[in-house]
Amino acid sequence: MKKTFTWAFSFLLVLLFIGTASAQNPLFGKKKPLPSTRGKASVKELGKELYTALQTGNTDRLTIYLPSDAELKDLKKNNATTDEMKDIVSSVGADQLESNLQQEIDALKGQMAADSFRVNNSTLVSVTGTRPNSKTPNITAVTVNLTDEKERPYTLTFEALKIDKRVFLFRQIQAKKEMQVANLLEEKP
């Protein structure tokens, strides 16, 4: 019994020593935090996630691509953030963005149905982002180009928000209407 107690006590001392050494020694120091799983690294990746969610019907997963309140707060506190960006970010919260996302997705699905566009049979052609302007440098307009099984083009647009090298869904997810070219020539009598 005394031997078992000695082993247990020795084991606890070793664990205690390792814990103390890890706090003081860089070899045993804390691991670097893993990269954020929220948002995406680029607008192309974010556009592909939106397309995949629409195609599979699993749009609930898009919430991990929305900025959290903490991320929005960090953007507001950043000295490099313009006053216009601070105003925009101050006007929304994570809960509001999530609610807006669901409304925009529902409206987008309705618009696709009205346009007879079946996203589950579509192909992703390209995802592009515009250059941000100087007043709102963290917001990028993103265009997602699709084609259906009949090779008809369809375009989705949304605004992405960049926070600390990560890109998030922000607002205005919608179908972009292509202008039909009308025959403007007058008929001769």
Side-chain angles (χ1 to χ4, degrees):
M1 177 78 178
K2 189 174 184 181
K3 206 173 201 181
T4 305
F5 179 74
T6 304
W7 278 100
F9 184 73
S10 298
F11 182 73
L12 287 174
L13 281 177
V14 169
L15 287 177
L16 182 63
F17 173 75
I18 290 173
T20 305
S22 69
Q24 297 172 354
N25 189 336
L27 291 176
F28 294 101
K30 293 180 181 178
K31 293 181 181 179
K32 290 183 180 179
L34 294 173
S36 175
T37 56
R38 299 183 55 77
K40 285 306 232 176
S42 69
V43 293
K44 287 185 180 189
E45 290 179 22
L46 191 59
K48 288 177 185 178
E49 287 295 335
L50 175 63
Y51 168 70
T52 301
L54 289 169
Q55 191 176 43
T56 62
N58 187 8
T59 56
D60 293 339
R61 62 183 257 147
L62 291 175
T63 57
I64 65 169
Y65 303 115
L66 292 172
S68 66
D69 281 328
E71 290 158 336
L72 292 170
K73 187 176 180 181
D74 288 345
L75 181 60
K76 286 188 277 188
K77 287 183 177 181
N78 189 332
N79 291 335
T81 304
T82 64
D83 290 337
E84 288 84 356
M85 277 303 310
K86 288 179 183 178
D87 290 343
I88 292 169
V89 172
S90 295
S91 68
V92 296
D95 292 339
Q96 182 183 1
L97 288 174
E98 189 170 341
S99 174
N100 290 349
L101 173 70
Q102 191 56 50
Q103 291 172 359
E104 290 169 358
I105 292 295
D106 291 343
L108 179 61
K109 287 178 181 178
Q111 183 64 47
M112 289 176 147
D115 294 339
S116 300
F117 185 83
R118 297 186 320 172
V119 71
N120 56 341
N121 292 333
S122 66
T123 304
L124 178 65
V125 176
S126 65
V127 179
T128 57
T130 61
R131 283 193 168 183
N133 67 43
S134 60
K135 292 183 180 182
T136 55
N138 297 74
I139 296 177
T140 302
V142 181
T143 303
V144 180
N145 294 305
L146 310 172
T147 58
D148 65 5
E149 66 272 5
K150 296 176 184 175
E151 297 297 318
R152 289 184 307 154
Y154 203 79
T155 304
L156 308 176
T157 60
F158 66 91
E159 287 184 347
L161 181 65
K162 187 171 185 175
I163 304 173
D164 294 332
K165 299 182 183 180
R166 301 296 289 174
V167 183
F168 298 88
L169 285 172
F170 189 50
R171 60 185 182 184
Q172 298 182 1
I173 300 171
Q174 57 193 347
K176 183 178 176 183
K177 294 284 189 179
E178 296 295 327
M179 296 293 290
Q180 296 278 336
V181 178
N183 187 357
L184 299 177
L185 298 176
E186 291 183 26
E187 291 185 28
K188 294 181 182 179

